[in-house]
Amino acid sequence: CSFGSGNLQSKQSNDLESRRIRRIAVIPPDTSAAPAHPTAHDNPPEMLAKQLYSAMASLPNWQIVAESEVKQVEQMKPATSDAARLRQIGEMVFADAVMVGRVLRFRERIGDDWGVKSPASVAFVLDLIDVRRGDVIWSARFDETQQALSENIFGLGNIGQRGVRWLRAEQLAMDGVKKAVGQLHQILVRSGAS
C-alpha cells in the first residue's frame, strides 16, 4: 500500500495485527566497525535512530523500550550476525519487535531556508522485526528530494506542515520518520483496540 504523495511506501505481513506487538525497541546502528562521529548530525544512521525513537516515544498506547536500556544491553556485545544481534537485543529487553533503520541517501541542501543551489535529499528504509520469529513484519521506504513548488504542484499538501521553505536533510528525514511511524502506530494501535 502507498502512503502520502509517493515519497513513502510501506508493506506489512498479512498477520501483523494478530502478532500482538506491544513493546518495541529501536535499535541504533551497529557502530562498532564505523568511525566515531562527534555528533548525531554528522552520523545520519545515528540521527535516524534518534529521530525514530523520539517519534515513537511521543505516541500513546504502545511501549517503546528506553534508549538507555537498549544501549546497556548492546554494550554486552551480543551475537555476531546482524539478524542474531537484533533478536538477542530484543529478547534481552523483553521486546515483541525491534525497529531498525538504514540510511540509503542523506544529502544536505546547499543554500538556506529561502533559496538553494541544491535541495536536501533523503532516502531510508525502516524495518520492524518480530523478535520471536525473526522475520520483517512491517517495512517502510521514504525517498524524497525536496522540489520547488513551481516544479511539483503536488507538494501543496506539505505546505501546511512544512511551510514554504527549503528544509535541511535532517528536517526532511524527520518528516518521513513521522509519517512512517504514524502509519505503523495506526496499524498496531488499531489492532490492539480490537
Side-chain angles (χ1 to χ4, degrees):
C1 75
S2 184
F3 181 75
S5 58
N7 60 359
L8 178 72
Q9 283 87 36
S10 67
K11 57 185 182 228
Q12 67 188 53
S13 67
N14 296 334
D15 62 345
L16 174 61
E17 294 179 13
S18 66
R19 294 218 194 180
R20 301 215 173 278
I21 302 299
R22 301 280 180 271
R23 185 169 160 90
I24 301 171
V26 176
I27 309 295
D30 184 4
T31 53
S32 58
H37 290 281
T39 65
H41 181 72
D42 295 335
N43 184 346
E46 184 73 26
M47 180 222 53
L48 180 63
K50 287 188 177 310
Q51 287 182 339
L52 198 49
Y53 176 80
S54 171
M56 292 180 79
S58 71
L59 295 172
N61 302 324
W62 62 5
Q63 189 179 5
I64 307 304
V65 178
E67 281 179 302
S68 58
E69 198 176 334
V70 171
K71 276 192 170 62
Q72 186 177 13
V73 164
E74 198 176 28
Q75 288 173 351
M76 296 176 193
K77 294 287 183 218
T80 53
S81 85
D82 204 40
R85 172 184 161 262
L86 297 175
R87 282 184 79 177
Q88 238 178 6
I89 292 170
E91 288 169 357
M92 293 170 81
V93 297
F94 305 102
D96 300 314
V98 294
M99 177 71 82
V100 291
R102 285 188 327 276
V103 175
L104 306 175
R105 183 180 63 251
F106 190 86
R107 195 173 62 229
E108 192 55 81
R109 73 174 186 213
I110 299 171
D112 60 25
D113 287 1
W114 307 109
V116 295
K117 289 183 181 125
S118 176
S121 183
V122 173
F124 61 81
V125 173
L126 304 177
D127 289 324
L128 184 68
I129 300 163
D130 185 318
V131 170
R132 287 178 293 278
R133 297 190 197 173
D135 58 333
V136 174
I137 52 177
W138 176 87
S139 184
R141 179 186 172 102
F142 178 81
D143 189 340
E144 184 174 347
T145 299
Q146 194 177 9
Q147 295 178 309
L149 198 54
S150 60
E151 293 175 41
N152 180 10
I153 196 69
F154 299 110
L156 275 172
N158 290 326
I159 287 180
Q161 299 161 326
R162 297 178 178 170
V164 185
R165 62 192 174 92
W166 293 97
L167 301 179
R168 292 187 347 266
E170 187 174 353
Q171 294 166 311
L172 194 58
M174 190 65 196
D175 191 46
V177 165
K178 284 181 178 176
K179 283 180 183 175
V181 166
Q183 187 187 64
L184 176 64
H185 184 260
Q186 259 187 330
I187 294 165
L188 292 180
V189 170
R190 183 183 65 223
S191 72
S194 56

Short mmCIF file of all heavy atoms in Angstrom, two decimals, residues 90-117:
data_model
loop_
_atom_site.label_atom_id
_atom_site.label_comp_id
_atom_site.label_asym_id
_atom_site.label_seq_id
_atom_site.Cartn_x
_atom_site.Cartn_y
_atom_site.Cartn_z
N GLY A 90 16.57 -7.66 21.28
CA GLY A 90 15.13 -7.64 21.50
C GLY A 90 14.71 -8.54 22.65
O GLY A 90 13.91 -8.15 23.50
N GLU A 91 15.26 -9.75 22.69
CA GLU A 91 14.94 -10.69 23.77
C GLU A 91 15.41 -10.16 25.12
O GLU A 91 14.70 -10.27 26.13
CB GLU A 91 15.58 -12.06 23.50
CG GLU A 91 14.91 -12.82 22.37
CD GLU A 91 15.70 -14.04 21.92
OE1 GLU A 91 16.82 -14.29 22.43
OE2 GLU A 91 15.18 -14.75 21.02
N MET A 92 16.60 -9.57 25.16
CA MET A 92 17.17 -9.10 26.43
C MET A 92 16.42 -7.91 27.02
O MET A 92 16.47 -7.69 28.22
CB MET A 92 18.65 -8.78 26.25
CG MET A 92 19.49 -10.03 25.97
SD MET A 92 21.18 -9.66 25.49
CE MET A 92 21.93 -9.37 27.07
N VAL A 93 15.71 -7.14 26.17
CA VAL A 93 14.93 -6.01 26.69
C VAL A 93 13.43 -6.34 26.71
O VAL A 93 12.59 -5.47 26.88
CB VAL A 93 15.20 -4.69 25.91
CG1 VAL A 93 16.63 -4.26 26.07
CG2 VAL A 93 14.79 -4.81 24.45
N PHE A 94 13.11 -7.62 26.50
CA PHE A 94 11.73 -8.12 26.53
C PHE A 94 10.83 -7.41 25.52
O PHE A 94 9.68 -7.10 25.81
CB PHE A 94 11.15 -8.02 27.95
CG PHE A 94 11.99 -8.71 28.98
CD1 PHE A 94 12.83 -7.97 29.81
CD2 PHE A 94 11.99 -10.09 29.09
CE1 PHE A 94 13.64 -8.60 30.74
CE2 PHE A 94 12.80 -10.72 30.01
CZ PHE A 94 13.61 -9.99 30.84
N ALA A 95 11.36 -7.17 24.33
CA ALA A 95 10.58 -6.51 23.27
C ALA A 95 9.88 -7.57 22.42
O ALA A 95 10.40 -8.67 22.23
CB ALA A 95 11.50 -5.66 22.40
N ASP A 96 8.71 -7.21 21.91
CA ASP A 96 8.00 -8.07 20.96
C ASP A 96 8.61 -7.92 19.57
O ASP A 96 8.58 -8.84 18.76
CB ASP A 96 6.51 -7.69 20.89
CG ASP A 96 5.83 -7.82 22.24
OD1 ASP A 96 6.03 -8.85 22.91
OD2 ASP A 96 5.10 -6.88 22.62
N ALA A 97 9.12 -6.70 19.30
CA ALA A 97 9.68 -6.41 17.99
C ALA A 97 10.80 -5.38 18.14
O ALA A 97 10.84 -4.64 19.12
CB ALA A 97 8.60 -5.87 17.05
N VAL A 98 11.68 -5.36 17.15
CA VAL A 98 12.73 -4.33 17.11
C VAL A 98 12.57 -3.55 15.82
O VAL A 98 12.18 -4.09 14.78
CB VAL A 98 14.16 -4.93 17.22
CG1 VAL A 98 14.37 -5.58 18.58
CG2 VAL A 98 14.44 -5.91 16.09
N MET A 99 12.86 -2.24 15.91
CA MET A 99 12.79 -1.35 14.75
C MET A 99 14.21 -0.94 14.39
O MET A 99 14.98 -0.51 15.25
CB MET A 99 11.98 -0.11 15.10
CG MET A 99 11.91 0.92 14.00
SD MET A 99 10.91 0.43 12.60
CE MET A 99 9.29 0.85 13.20
N VAL A 100 14.55 -1.12 13.12
CA VAL A 100 15.87 -0.71 12.64
C VAL A 100 15.69 0.16 11.40
O VAL A 100 14.76 -0.03 10.62
CB VAL A 100 16.78 -1.92 12.31
CG1 VAL A 100 17.18 -2.66 13.56
CG2 VAL A 100 16.13 -2.85 11.31
N GLY A 101 16.60 1.10 11.25
CA GLY A 101 16.57 1.99 10.10
C GLY A 101 17.89 1.92 9.34
O GLY A 101 18.94 1.72 9.94
N ARG A 102 17.81 2.04 8.02
CA ARG A 102 19.00 2.08 7.18
C ARG A 102 18.91 3.33 6.32
O ARG A 102 17.91 3.54 5.62
CB ARG A 102 19.07 0.86 6.25
CG ARG A 102 19.46 -0.41 6.93
CD ARG A 102 19.70 -1.56 5.95
NE ARG A 102 18.89 -1.58 4.74
CZ ARG A 102 17.66 -2.10 4.65
NH1 ARG A 102 17.07 -2.59 5.72
NH2 ARG A 102 17.01 -2.12 3.50
N VAL A 103 19.95 4.15 6.35
CA VAL A 103 20.01 5.34 5.52
C VAL A 103 20.55 4.95 4.15
O VAL A 103 21.62 4.37 4.05
CB VAL A 103 20.91 6.43 6.16
CG1 VAL A 103 21.07 7.62 5.23
CG2 VAL A 103 20.34 6.87 7.50
N LEU A 104 19.79 5.25 3.12
CA LEU A 104 20.21 4.94 1.75
C LEU A 104 20.85 6.16 1.09
O LEU A 104 21.76 6.04 0.28
CB LEU A 104 19.02 4.47 0.91
CG LEU A 104 18.22 3.30 1.49
CD1 LEU A 104 17.01 3.01 0.63
CD2 LEU A 104 19.10 2.07 1.62
N ARG A 105 20.34 7.35 1.44
CA ARG A 105 20.89 8.60 0.89
C ARG A 105 20.62 9.71 1.90
O ARG A 105 19.55 9.77 2.49
CB ARG A 105 20.20 8.94 -0.45
CG ARG A 105 20.76 10.17 -1.13
CD ARG A 105 20.07 10.49 -2.47
NE ARG A 105 18.67 10.79 -2.30
CZ ARG A 105 17.65 10.01 -2.67
NH1 ARG A 105 17.87 8.83 -3.22
NH2 ARG A 105 16.40 10.37 -2.48
N PHE A 106 21.61 10.57 2.10
CA PHE A 106 21.46 11.69 3.03
C PHE A 106 22.32 12.83 2.49
O PHE A 106 23.52 12.86 2.71
CB PHE A 106 21.90 11.30 4.44
CG PHE A 106 21.55 12.32 5.49
CD1 PHE A 106 20.31 12.31 6.10
CD2 PHE A 106 22.47 13.29 5.85
CE1 PHE A 106 19.99 13.25 7.07
CE2 PHE A 106 22.15 14.24 6.81
CZ PHE A 106 20.91 14.22 7.43
N ARG A 107 21.70 13.69 1.70
CA ARG A 107 22.44 14.78 1.08
C ARG A 107 21.87 16.10 1.60
O ARG A 107 20.68 16.38 1.46
CB ARG A 107 22.29 14.69 -0.44
CG ARG A 107 23.29 15.55 -1.18
CD ARG A 107 23.25 15.33 -2.69
NE ARG A 107 21.94 15.69 -3.21
CZ ARG A 107 21.21 14.94 -4.02
NH1 ARG A 107 21.63 13.76 -4.41
NH2 ARG A 107 20.04 15.37 -4.46
N GLU A 108 22.74 16.89 2.19
CA GLU A 108 22.32 18.17 2.78
C GLU A 108 22.06 19.18 1.67
O GLU A 108 22.67 19.11 0.61
CB GLU A 108 23.41 18.68 3.74
CG GLU A 108 23.00 19.84 4.61
CD GLU A 108 21.74 19.57 5.42
OE1 GLU A 108 21.83 18.91 6.46
OE2 GLU A 108 20.65 20.02 4.99
N ARG A 109 21.16 20.12 1.94
CA ARG A 109 20.90 21.19 0.96
C ARG A 109 22.10 22.11 0.88
O ARG A 109 22.87 22.23 1.84
CB ARG A 109 19.65 21.98 1.36
CG ARG A 109 19.92 22.88 2.55
CD ARG A 109 18.76 23.80 2.88
NE ARG A 109 19.21 24.70 3.94
CZ ARG A 109 18.44 25.18 4.88
NH1 ARG A 109 17.16 24.87 4.92
NH2 ARG A 109 18.93 25.98 5.79
N ILE A 110 22.25 22.76 -0.26
CA ILE A 110 23.26 23.80 -0.41
C ILE A 110 22.47 25.08 -0.61
O ILE A 110 21.78 25.25 -1.61
CB ILE A 110 24.19 23.53 -1.61
CG1 ILE A 110 24.92 22.20 -1.40
CG2 ILE A 110 25.18 24.66 -1.80
CD1 ILE A 110 25.69 21.72 -2.61
N GLY A 111 22.50 25.94 0.39
CA GLY A 111 21.72 27.17 0.38
C GLY A 111 21.09 27.38 1.75
O GLY A 111 21.51 26.79 2.73
N ASP A 112 20.03 28.22 1.78
CA ASP A 112 19.37 28.50 3.06
C ASP A 112 17.88 28.21 2.96
O ASP A 112 17.41 27.64 1.98
CB ASP A 112 19.65 29.94 3.52
CG ASP A 112 19.14 30.98 2.54
OD1 ASP A 112 18.20 30.69 1.76
OD2 ASP A 112 19.67 32.09 2.54
N ASP A 113 17.11 28.63 3.98
CA ASP A 113 15.68 28.35 4.03
C ASP A 113 14.91 28.88 2.81
O ASP A 113 13.87 28.36 2.44
CB ASP A 113 15.04 28.97 5.28
CG ASP A 113 15.42 28.22 6.55
OD1 ASP A 113 16.17 27.24 6.46
OD2 ASP A 113 14.95 28.63 7.63
N TRP A 114 15.41 29.94 2.19
CA TRP A 114 14.62 30.63 1.16
C TRP A 114 15.16 30.44 -0.26
O TRP A 114 14.50 30.80 -1.22
CB TRP A 114 14.52 32.12 1.49
CG TRP A 114 14.00 32.28 2.89
CD1 TRP A 114 14.70 32.70 3.98
CD2 TRP A 114 12.70 31.94 3.35
NE1 TRP A 114 13.91 32.65 5.10
CE2 TRP A 114 12.66 32.20 4.74
CE3 TRP A 114 11.54 31.45 2.75
CZ2 TRP A 114 11.53 31.99 5.52
CZ3 TRP A 114 10.42 31.24 3.54
CH2 TRP A 114 10.42 31.50 4.89
N GLY A 115 16.33 29.88 -0.40
CA GLY A 115 16.86 29.64 -1.74
C GLY A 115 17.99 28.63 -1.70
O GLY A 115 18.83 28.68 -0.80
N VAL A 116 18.00 27.71 -2.65
CA VAL A 116 19.03 26.69 -2.65
C VAL A 116 19.63 26.51 -4.04
O VAL A 116 18.98 26.74 -5.05
CB VAL A 116 18.48 25.31 -2.17
CG1 VAL A 116 18.06 25.36 -0.73
CG2 VAL A 116 17.39 24.80 -3.06
N LYS A 117 20.89 26.09 -4.03
CA LYS A 117 21.55 25.66 -5.27
C LYS A 117 21.24 24.18 -5.49
O LYS A 117 21.09 23.72 -6.62
CB LYS A 117 23.06 25.85 -5.17
CG LYS A 117 23.49 27.30 -5.19
CD LYS A 117 25.02 27.40 -5.15
CE LYS A 117 25.45 28.85 -5.14
NZ LYS A 117 26.32 29.18 -4.03
#
